[in-house]
Amino acid sequence: MAQIIAEVSRTFNEFLLLPNRTRTDCSVGAVDLSTPLVRHRVGESPAITLRAPFTSAIMQAVSSPELAIALARDGGLSFLHHNQSIAEQAAAVRRVKNFKAGFVVSDTNVRPTDTLGHLLEVMRRTGHSTAAVTQDGSATGRLLGLVTSRDFHPQRHGLDGPVSGRMIPVAELQHASSDITLSAANARLWDERLDCLPVLDAEGNLQFLVFRSDYQDNKRFPHQLVDAGKRLRVGAGINTHDYRDRVPALVAAGADALCFDSSDGYSDWQAEALTWVKKHYPDVATGGGNVVDAEAFTFLAEAGADFVKVGVGGGSICITRDQKGIGRGQASAVLDVAAARDAFAARTGEYVPICSDGGLVHDYHMALALAMGSDFVMMGRYFARFDQAPGAKLPTRDGFVKEYWGEGSNRARNWQRYGQGGQGLVFEEGVDGYVPYAGDLHEGLAVTMTKIKSTMVSCGSLTLPEFQASARLTLVSEQSFQESHANVAVRETAPTTG
C-alpha cells in the first residue's frame, strides 16, 4: 500500500510569528536583507550574495530584460525565461549586462532623410523629446546629430521637410568616448551646461546618451546587485532538453546564474543535466528544482545544485495539484527542506541555499517563508503586476490590470517543462488570466521590503540568519485567522438636502 506521511500539509496562512524582544538597536533602517544565492563552504562568503531576498519567476509573463534591470537595481535577481530561442534568450541576457545606470540606449532614433512629421510621430510614441539622428536610423548607427522638440515647431516648420534641416550636427555637439565613467559624464553635463551628452565609439557610432535629468539616477538605487565589472547581475532559466546548446550561449552572453526550470525537479534527467553543467562550467552558479521534501533536496544537492527551489503546485496560476494530485503545502515543504539543508551543511560543510517558489499571496507570507528557512523567495504574480513586466496593461471597470499566464497554460506553449509525452501539452497545468496593476517595481518593492524589515524588528532580528534562528511560529485556528483581518462596517451617510 502507499506510504502515508502523517504530518498535515500546511500553508503559510496557517502560521503566525510570535514577537520577540526588540532591542534598542533594532530598527527598520538597521535591518540587512542580504542573503546567499549560491552554494558555499560554511563560514565562508558565497560567490554571489543577493542584496535583497527576491528573485523573479522563470516565466514569459514575468522576467523580461526590463524587469531584470529593475529588480537587479533593487538588489534582487531575475531569471530570464527559456521558452524562446537560444539566440533570443542570449540577446536578452546581453541587454541586461550591457545596461549602465545613467547610460541610456536611445529609443528615439531617426535618419537624416526622415521627415519632421515622422520624427514627431516617433517622439509621441516614445514620450521622449530628444532624438538621435543616425545614418541608418538605429540606436547604434553612426551619429550625425541630435534634434529635440525645441529645434522645430509643428506649425512653424513644414512637417514634410527633412530632419537634417533642423538637427544640430555632430560637429557642433559635445560628445564623449565609450570609456567615460558616469561620474565623469555627469561632471561634463554640469560643467559644460549640457542637457545631453552622446557617448560614441572609435568609429563614431552611438553607444549611449547621458542626460542631465538622470543625474540622480544612481543615488536612487544604492543597493544594486552588480558583478565585479559593475554590471547588473542577471540569471537565466534552462531546461533538461537543450541545455548542452543553451548553456554555452548563455554563459558567453554573461549570465551570472542559471536555474533548471521544472515542475518536478526530483528526476534523473535533472541530476544528469546538473552534473553536465557543473563538469563543463564549474564556476557558473546553477540551481535545481522544484522539490517539496528532504529526500529530493538531498538528491539535487548531491548532483551539484548551487541552490534548490522549493514548491510544487502552490503558484497562483498553477493547477498541477488540481490536475495531477501532486504537491505539498508550501509551509510544510519549506520547513522540511530547510531542515534537510541544515543537515546537509552539518554533514558536508557546504551550505546550499533554498528558494521558496510559490504560495506567496501576501507580503507577510514572504516574511514567514524567510523565517521558516528560505534564503530567498521566487515570485511570479507579485512581479507580473508591475510596469516592467511584459504583460499588457488593460483597463477594466474596476481599474487597470496586467496580463498574467502560467507556463503550464496553452498560451505559454511550454510543453518541455511538463513532460507529458509528445510535442505539446496534453492537458494544462496553468491558467491564463490577469492581476491588479501595481505601478512601478521600485516603489512597490520598497513597500514590501519595509514590511518585512518591520516584521523582523518585531521579532528582534537585524539579519535573515538571526531571524531564522530566533523566529517562533504558532499555528492558527480558523477563528484566529478570521480575527487577523479588519472587520468594520463602513458607515453610510445620507446626502445633505437643501
Side-chain angles (χ1 to χ4, degrees), residues 66-340:
E66 292 79 10
L67 190 132
I69 290 169
L71 183 52
R73 300 184 82 184
D74 277 319
L77 187 76
S78 285
F79 286 90
L80 300 174
H81 75 88
H82 56 90
N83 195 7
Q84 57 187 319
S85 72
I86 294 174
E88 289 172 330
Q89 191 182 18
V93 169
R94 285 192 293 270
R95 182 173 172 186
V96 179
K97 298 304 292 184
N98 289 336
F99 174 84
K100 294 183 180 181
F103 289 86
V104 178
V105 176
S106 177
D107 65 354
T108 308
N109 310 290
V110 292
R111 298 179 178 86
T113 54
D114 288 336
T115 66
L116 291 175
H118 173 73
L119 169 63
L120 190 63
E121 290 179 8
V122 172
M123 286 181 166
R124 285 173 176 166
R125 185 176 69 247
T126 64
H128 296 150
S129 59
T130 298
V133 185
T134 58
Q135 197 167 44
D136 60 1
S138 73
T140 56
R142 183 176 181 80
L143 184 67
L144 301 180
L146 291 180
V147 60
T148 74
S149 58
R150 293 182 299 180
D151 296 319
F152 72 101
H153 192 284
Q155 279 75 47
R156 185 176 181 85
H157 302 102
L159 295 183
D160 292 335
V163 168
S164 58
R166 300 304 305 170
M167 75 178 187
I168 302 174
V170 67
E172 300 176 19
L173 291 170
Q174 297 295 328
H175 54 82
S177 58
S178 56
D179 59 351
I180 193 171
T181 64
L182 181 59
S183 176
N186 281 326
R188 287 193 59 183
L189 285 171
W190 289 98
D191 293 345
E192 300 173 33
R193 302 179 183 182
L194 306 173
D195 290 323
C196 176
L197 180 68
V199 177
L200 311 181
D201 66 14
E203 286 72 43
N205 297 312
L206 179 62
Q207 301 296 296
F208 306 104
L209 298 175
V210 184
F211 292 94
R212 183 194 292 244
S213 59
D214 289 338
Y215 175 69
Q216 297 295 330
D217 189 73
N218 256 354
K219 300 183 185 300
R220 287 186 63 207
F221 305 100
H223 303 299
Q224 298 185 73
L225 185 66
V226 297
D227 61 21
K230 303 300 182 183
R231 301 182 302 171
L232 295 179
R233 289 195 183 274
V234 64
I238 53 178
N239 59 57
T240 57
H241 299 273
D242 62 6
Y243 60 91
R244 290 181 177 85
D245 297 319
R246 191 173 291 268
V247 169
L250 295 174
V251 172
D256 296 283
L258 306 174
C259 185
F260 279 100
D261 180 37
S262 173
S263 61
D264 174 17
Y266 191 12
S267 72
D268 290 345
W269 294 289
Q270 190 162 134
E272 291 171 2
L274 275 166
T275 301
W276 184 91
V277 174
K278 299 310 295 183
K279 176 182 177 181
H280 292 87
Y281 300 94
D283 297 327
V284 177
T286 307
N290 283 21
V291 303
V292 294
D293 62 11
E295 184 177 308
F297 166 84
T298 303
F299 177 79
L300 292 183
E302 291 179 344
D306 288 306
F307 60 89
V308 175
K309 290 201 299 156
V310 181
V312 173
S316 60
I317 42 70
C318 182
I319 54 173
T320 293
R321 296 180 191 174
D322 290 340
Q323 297 283 51
K324 296 168 62 175
I326 288 176
R328 192 179 194 183
Q330 190 68 4
S332 294
V334 168
L335 288 166
D336 193 3
V337 174

